[in-house]
Structures are given as structure tokens and as C-alpha cells.
Amino acid sequence: MDFYAKLVAFAPLVSFAIVGGLNRLLPKGVSAWTACAGVFVSFLAAVMVFSHIWSSEEPHVVLVYDWITSGTFDSQFSFLIDRLSATFILMITGVSFLIHVFSVGYMWEDDGIRRFFAYLNLFVFFMLILILADNFLVTFIGWEGVGFCSFMLISFWYKDMKNNDAAKKAFVMNRIGDFGFLMAMCLMVLHLGTLNYPEILSAEGLATLQKVPGGILSLIALCLLLGAAGKSAQIPLYTWLPDAMAAPTPVSALIHAATMVTAGVYLVARTHVFFEASPEVSIVVAWVGVATA
């Protein structure tokens, strides 16, 4: 399964490198269908991962490479395959492939079609990294990556200043949410000594969590909620989303309806132990959702 997990993440990156690197050396039809093929291969690999993990109760960690080791702190570039991540990657790759195919016709007359598909592929890669990550640091790479790609896609028709303004607004709003994410990670390192999901969710990690003062756990949960609110356009960080519709229609379908705005939902689900330990913050989550709706 390790091979399929890596294929899920890196197939869109390979197609991005081909389409973006060769750019106008390729006919636009070849560029478009190469981009579609990369996401389709990722979808097929996601089906294999999903079918394998759904029949197994045990989460599976896939090591990509050794990354950071400093004293007692350790963080690898690894993927965590469990039912949550497997479900999300299946949805993301499936929807992304359909939107890529639709984009071939929608963007065919646009002179920047190659650049458009390169950005789409890069976005899908970062979104998959966000979902597959087995620790907060790798999640943050994907988190920032989708924010960058969103900026590039919202401002795709950059000759219109309205689009540039919308992209800048989305970028700034997401940085506010990212500050909350960073603060949560700092507090975790300080009080838990790890950023790895398996360690936090293990029996030992949950025992350590119970020793942390309730106020600190509530603060971590609130910081995570701030990060989720930025990506998922929840109150008070929701004002960027209507303006982001200035992007081409496939971008609105992919990023602002199906994938990036679900990143906040995924973050809350992945870090559920902090919200379970902070009932007051869970109530805040509910009220934020109700108010935004």
C-alpha cells in the first residue's frame, strides 16, 4: 500500500512538472490531458488505498523521507493512512478529475490554458499532502500550499484588477487563520512535545493530554478553530469567499466548493481530541457554523 499512497500524492506533482515545465512547448490539448491523466492516476491509486484500509482497523504510516530530528523532537515527512484520510483522498481526487475534464472544454479558447492546468495540478498535490500528512508540520505545508495556489487561481485573469484584489483579500484572510494554526502547533510542542498525530492519538498521548491544564487545551482548540475558519470561510473570516468567485468557474467548483473549504472540516475532525477535551470550544464551533450558515 505504500506505493499506492505515494502515487496518490505525487502523480499530480509529476503532471504539474510536465505541464508547467514544458509549458508552450506542448500543444494545449496535450497539456490539458496530461494534467487530467495525473489526477486520474491519483484517483485510481486512491481507490486502491481506500479499499485496502477500509477492511483494516489499523492506521498505516507511510514514510516518505526522514525530515526533522532535534533532541527529543522528531517529525518525519510521512503519510497517515486511516479511514478518515482514505475517504477524503477518494473524494478529492474523484471530484478533481471530473473538474479537470470539464475544464478542458471550458478553458479551451483561453491563451493561458497550460498555466491554468499547471496551477490546478499543483493545488491538488498540496491538498493531498494536507490530507495525508501524519503530523501537523506536513499538514501545514499542504495548508500553505493550497493557500498559495488559491491566490494564483483567483488572480488567474490578472489583467482585471478586481481579480487581483480578490486574490489579495483571500490571501490575507487565510494568513490570519494560519496564525492560529501556528500558535496551536507552538502550544503542542511546548506542552505535548510532539506534533505527530499517531503519538497524540495513542494511549500514551491521550494520557499526556489529560495532564495538560484545561485552559491550554481550550486555547489550542480555539487556535485550531481560527485556522479552520480561515480555510473554510467561517465567521469572522468568511468575506474572502464571495469575492473569490472572480476566478474561472472550474476554480470555484474545485477550490471554493469541493476541496479547500473542506480543509477546515478535516482539521477539526483530525484534531477531535482537543475539542472533546474542551466542551466550551465545541459549543463555539457549533455557534460559528450556525452563524455562518
Coordinates of all heavy atoms in Angstrom, one line a residue, residues 140 176-191 195 216 219-224 226:
F140 N 0.8 21.5 7.6 CA 1.0 22.9 7.4 C 1.6 23.2 6.0 O 1.3 24.3 5.4 CB 1.9 23.5 8.5 CG 1.8 25.0 8.5 CD1 0.7 25.7 8.9 CD2 2.9 25.8 8.2 CE1 0.6 27.1 9.0 CE2 2.9 27.2 8.2 CZ 1.7 27.8 8.6
I176 N -4.5 35.1 8.4 CA -5.0 35.3 9.8 C -5.3 33.9 10.4 O -4.9 33.6 11.5 CB -6.2 36.2 9.8 CG1 -5.8 37.6 9.3 CG2 -6.8 36.3 11.2 CD1 -7.0 38.5 9.1
G177 N -6.0 33.1 9.6 CA -6.3 31.7 10.1 C -5.0 30.9 10.3 O -4.9 30.2 11.3
D178 N -4.0 31.1 9.4 CA -2.7 30.4 9.6 C -2.0 30.7 10.8 O -1.3 29.9 11.4 CB -1.8 30.6 8.3 CG -2.4 30.1 7.1 OD1 -3.4 29.3 7.1 OD2 -2.0 30.5 6.0
F179 N -2.2 32.0 11.3 CA -1.5 32.4 12.5 C -2.1 31.5 13.7 O -1.3 31.1 14.6 CB -1.8 33.9 12.8 CG -1.4 34.3 14.2 CD1 0.0 34.5 14.4 CD2 -2.3 34.6 15.2 CE1 0.4 35.0 15.7 CE2 -1.9 35.0 16.4 CZ -0.5 35.2 16.7
G180 N -3.4 31.3 13.7 CA -4.0 30.4 14.7 C -3.4 29.0 14.6 O -3.1 28.4 15.7
F181 N -3.3 28.5 13.4 CA -2.7 27.2 13.2 C -1.3 27.1 13.8 O -0.9 26.2 14.6 CB -2.7 26.8 11.7 CG -2.5 25.4 11.4 CD1 -3.3 24.8 10.4 CD2 -1.6 24.6 12.1 CE1 -3.1 23.4 10.1 CE2 -1.4 23.2 11.8 CZ -2.2 22.7 10.8
L182 N -0.5 28.1 13.5 CA 0.9 28.2 14.0 C 1.0 28.2 15.6 O 1.8 27.6 16.2 CB 1.7 29.4 13.4 CG 2.2 29.2 12.0 CD1 2.7 30.6 11.5 CD2 3.3 28.2 12.0
M183 N 0.1 29.1 16.1 CA 0.0 29.2 17.6 C -0.3 27.8 18.2 O 0.2 27.4 19.3 CB -1.0 30.3 18.0 CG -0.5 31.7 17.7 SD 1.1 32.1 18.5 CE 0.6 31.9 20.2
A184 N -1.3 27.1 17.6 CA -1.7 25.8 18.1 C -0.5 24.8 18.1 O -0.2 24.1 19.1 CB -2.8 25.2 17.3
M185 N 0.3 24.9 17.0 CA 1.5 24.0 16.9 C 2.5 24.3 18.0 O 3.1 23.4 18.6 CB 2.1 24.1 15.5 CG 1.3 23.4 14.5 SD 2.2 23.0 12.9 CE 2.5 24.7 12.4
C186 N 2.7 25.6 18.2 CA 3.7 26.0 19.2 C 3.3 25.5 20.6 O 4.1 25.0 21.4 CB 3.8 27.6 19.2 SG 4.6 28.2 17.8
L187 N 2.0 25.7 20.9 CA 1.5 25.2 22.2 C 1.6 23.7 22.4 O 1.9 23.2 23.4 CB 0.0 25.6 22.4 CG -0.2 27.1 22.6 CD1 -1.7 27.5 22.5 CD2 0.3 27.6 24.0
M188 N 1.4 23.0 21.3 CA 1.5 21.5 21.3 C 2.9 21.1 21.6 O 3.2 20.2 22.4 CB 1.0 20.9 20.0 CG -0.5 20.9 19.8 SD -0.9 20.2 18.2 CE -2.3 21.2 17.8
V189 N 3.9 21.7 20.9 CA 5.3 21.4 21.1 C 5.7 21.7 22.6 O 6.4 20.9 23.2 CB 6.2 22.2 20.1 CG1 7.7 22.0 20.5 CG2 6.0 21.7 18.7
L190 N 5.2 22.8 23.1 CA 5.5 23.2 24.4 C 4.9 22.3 25.5 O 5.6 21.9 26.5 CB 5.0 24.6 24.7 CG 5.4 25.3 26.0 CD1 7.0 25.5 26.0 CD2 4.8 26.7 26.1
H191 N 3.7 21.8 25.3 CA 3.0 21.1 26.4 C 2.9 19.6 26.1 O 2.7 18.8 27.0 CB 1.6 21.7 26.6 CG 1.6 23.0 27.2 ND1 1.8 23.3 28.5 CD2 1.5 24.3 26.6 CE1 1.7 24.6 28.7 NE2 1.6 25.2 27.6
L195 N 4.2 16.7 17.5 CA 3.2 17.2 16.5 C 2.7 16.1 15.7 O 1.9 16.3 14.7 CB 3.8 18.3 15.6 CG 4.2 19.6 16.2 CD1 5.0 20.5 15.2 CD2 3.0 20.3 16.7
I216 N -5.2 25.5 28.6 CA -4.2 25.3 27.5 C -4.9 24.5 26.4 O -4.8 24.9 25.2 CB -2.9 24.6 27.9 CG1 -2.2 25.5 29.0 CG2 -2.1 24.3 26.7 CD1 -1.7 26.8 28.4
L219 N -7.3 26.7 24.6 CA -6.6 27.7 23.8 C -6.1 27.0 22.5 O -6.2 27.6 21.4 CB -5.4 28.3 24.5 CG -4.6 29.4 23.8 CD1 -5.5 30.5 23.4 CD2 -3.5 29.9 24.7
I220 N -5.6 25.8 22.6 CA -5.2 25.0 21.4 C -6.4 24.8 20.5 O -6.3 25.0 19.2 CB -4.5 23.7 21.8 CG1 -3.2 23.9 22.5 CG2 -4.4 22.8 20.5 CD1 -2.6 22.6 23.0
A221 N -7.5 24.4 21.0 CA -8.7 24.2 20.2 C -9.2 25.4 19.6 O -9.6 25.4 18.4 CB -9.8 23.6 21.1
L222 N -9.1 26.6 20.3 CA -9.6 27.8 19.7 C -8.6 28.3 18.6 O -9.1 28.8 17.5 CB -9.6 28.9 20.8 CG -10.8 28.9 21.7 CD1 -10.6 29.9 22.9 CD2 -12.1 29.3 21.0
C223 N -7.3 28.0 18.7 CA -6.4 28.4 17.7 C -6.6 27.5 16.4 O -6.6 28.0 15.3 CB -5.0 28.2 18.2 SG -4.4 29.5 19.4
L224 N -6.9 26.2 16.7 CA -7.2 25.3 15.5 C -8.5 25.8 14.9 O -8.6 25.7 13.6 CB -7.4 23.9 16.0 CG -6.1 23.2 16.5 CD1 -6.4 21.9 17.1 CD2 -5.1 23.0 15.3
L226 N -9.6 28.8 14.7 CA -9.3 30.0 13.9 C -8.7 29.6 12.5 O -9.0 30.2 11.5 CB -8.3 30.9 14.7 CG -7.8 32.2 14.0 CD1 -9.0 33.1 13.7 CD2 -6.8 32.9 14.8

